[in-house]
Amino acid sequence: MEKFSVIVPVYNRIDEVTDLLESLASQTAKNFEVIIVEDGSTAPCLDAVRRYEQQLDLKYFFKENEGRSIARNHGMEHATGSYFIFFDSDCVIPADYFAKLNEMLALRPLDCFGGPDAAHSSFTTTQKAINHAMTSFLTTGGIRGGKISLEKFTPRTFNMGFSRKVYEKVGGFREMFSEDIDMSTRIRLAGFSISLYPDLPVYHKRRVDFKKFLRQVYVFGMSRITLQLLYPGSMKAVHWLPAIFVAGVVAMILLAVFVSPWWLLPLAVYLVAIFVAALAATRSLTIALKAVPASVIQLGGYGCGFIKAYFLKIILRRGRNEAEEISMRKGK
């Protein structure tokens, strides 16, 4: 049986780390160690870690603040497992996660894998609405682990794993936005097998309010352009959809104002479809209602970030040296 090294970067997340460690202590399979890397937090989680030292094979490291990628790399340097597993500090792990992972690797071995994210019953309705917006086919095209997807699956660090052999050949994460997509791309280009384990979810709390969520997806949109500069040809049609949504909404509003209100009908139909899909998926009227603005924020924020970065970096060719600097980073 393989030994796993669970690596979690942490920055001022005491309560979240407690929930994560509690879920790891409840695992039915125990063939893993947990490595917490405190990335210069002003409110360290050491006391929370100490409460679980008797229940888990646990290592804790405190280092200066350099970013989550450097923190993950620090964890890998001290890992003893044959596979490295990455969770975000705001995740809760189902009790059978490692039992299922053992079975899946035995049945279908992979060099690199990931699983979907889901909303736990204890999450707030806003968190559940945001989760739906980030995982629905109607909003993201299933690229975050959906059963139907418009793009090849790309593991993300809220639920990602790869073998020590991958690390030894590809290196660690590079400090950048969307560092997990960059890492997954490098792994795929190196010739390793990479795929989705669809029945291996984690519960991902995500942002707790719409303002923080907007800031997050805006950065995601900008980083997509950086990834295109790093890997020409990597941008697919699905990545353009949020920008098309933004342009379409602006055009419909202008046409509604100056021509006819009926131009808003396509937008209304789409928003109703989001509501119906969310209601069917969650069976909650409150979550379905919140899923509509969450979806607008997800598409609008990503689309605006994408459009801004495309205009500056592709059209005006400004800031392209950022991609050159990133490409030179070793990921160590």
Side-chain angles (χ1 to χ4, degrees):
M1 187 179 295
E2 305 285 358
K3 179 181 179 180
F4 305 110
S5 293
V6 176
I7 299 167
V8 184
V10 178
Y11 182 74
N12 291 338
R13 299 291 183 93
I14 297 175
D15 292 340
E16 291 180 350
V17 169
T18 299
D19 292 342
L20 172 62
L21 291 177
E22 178 64 30
S23 68
L24 289 172
S26 301
Q27 292 296 306
T28 57
K30 305 293 185 180
N31 56 319
F32 63 91
E33 64 179 352
V34 180
I35 301 173
I36 301 294
V37 184
E38 191 96 60
D39 188 37
S41 298
T42 57
C45 65
L46 180 56
D47 288 342
V49 170
R50 284 173 174 165
R51 290 198 294 271
Y52 290 91
E53 286 179 331
Q54 301 303 314
Q55 303 175 56
L56 292 166
D57 179 0
L58 191 54
K59 298 176 184 177
Y60 173 85
F61 299 96
F62 186 96
K63 58 180 293 300
E64 64 177 318
N65 180 252
E66 296 179 281
R68 56 186 178 269
S69 291
I70 308 303
R72 291 190 185 103
N73 294 344
H74 187 84
M76 284 189 284
E77 290 171 3
H78 293 86
T80 61
S82 54
Y83 278 86
F84 303 148
I85 309 298
F86 301 93
F87 299 134
D88 286 345
S89 59
D90 60 350
C91 289
V92 174
I93 315 304
D96 60 352
Y97 183 95
F98 286 96
K100 285 185 175 180
L101 180 55
N102 288 324
E103 295 175 0
M104 292 175 185
L105 281 173
L107 291 172
R108 184 163 65 99
L110 291 170
D111 299 308
C112 177
F113 54 85
D117 52 344
H120 192 269
S121 59
S122 64
F123 291 1
T124 67
T125 54
T126 299
Q127 287 174 317
K128 292 175 181 177
I130 290 174
N131 182 80
H132 180 82
M134 290 295 286
T135 57
S136 172
F137 181 80
L138 289 176
T139 52
T140 61
I143 64 175
R144 300 180 70 89
K147 294 181 178 179
I148 303 175
S149 178
L150 296 179
E151 185 199 25
K152 286 183 178 179
F153 172 70
T154 301
R156 313 295 177 97
T157 46
F158 60 78
N159 185 6
M160 177 182 187
F162 52 75
S163 68
R164 179 175 290 275
K165 290 180 180 179
V166 167
Y167 171 61
E168 291 171 350
K169 182 173 182 178
V170 177
F173 293 88
R174 297 194 284 205
E175 186 57 37
M176 58 180 288
F177 291 116
S178 296
E179 73 284 355
D180 44 7
I181 301 178
D182 170 73
M183 185 68 177
S184 295
T185 303
R186 287 159 52 207
I187 291 171
R188 182 174 277 118
L189 291 175
F192 289 103
S193 59
I194 179 170
S195 189
L196 167 71
Y197 284 146
D199 297 321
L200 198 69
V202 300
Y203 300 120
H204 197 185
K205 295 178 184 177
R206 299 191 182 279
R207 299 306 186 218
V208 296
D209 60 57
F210 287 152
K211 184 178 180 180
K212 292 179 180 178
F213 181 49
L214 173 61
R215 189 181 307 118
Q216 181 186 47
V217 293
Y218 179 81
V219 170
F220 286 169
M222 294 191 70
S223 66
R224 181 65 255 176
I225 302 302
T226 301
L227 290 166
Q228 168 63 16
L229 294 174
L230 281 171
Y231 307 104
S234 63
M235 192 156 60
K236 308 301 181 184
V238 66
H239 300 128
W240 282 89
L241 294 180
I244 294 172
F245 171 83
V246 171
V249 168
V250 171
M252 282 186 281
I253 290 174
L254 290 175
L255 288 168
V257 171
F258 294 107
V259 180
S260 167
W262 284 104
W263 279 102
L264 291 176
L265 183 60
L267 177 61
V269 171
Y270 179 64
L271 296 181
V272 169
I274 290 174
F275 170 79
V276 172
L279 185 62
T282 66
R283 299 186 179 183
S284 167
L285 179 61
T286 301
I287 297 172
L289 288 170
K290 288 186 175 183
V292 175
S295 298
V296 171
I297 290 170
Q298 190 274 323
L299 290 165
Y302 188 105
C304 287
F306 181 100
I307 291 169
K308 178 181 178 181
Y310 187 90
F311 181 76
L312 292 176
K313 297 182 180 182
I314 303 296
I315 297 178
L316 298 183
R317 303 179 68 84
R318 295 179 183 173
R320 295 172 69 94
N321 61 325
E322 174 197 3
E324 295 174 1
E325 292 173 0
I326 290 172
S327 68
M328 295 178 67
R329 296 173 189 168
K330 298 296 184 180
K332 290 286 190 180

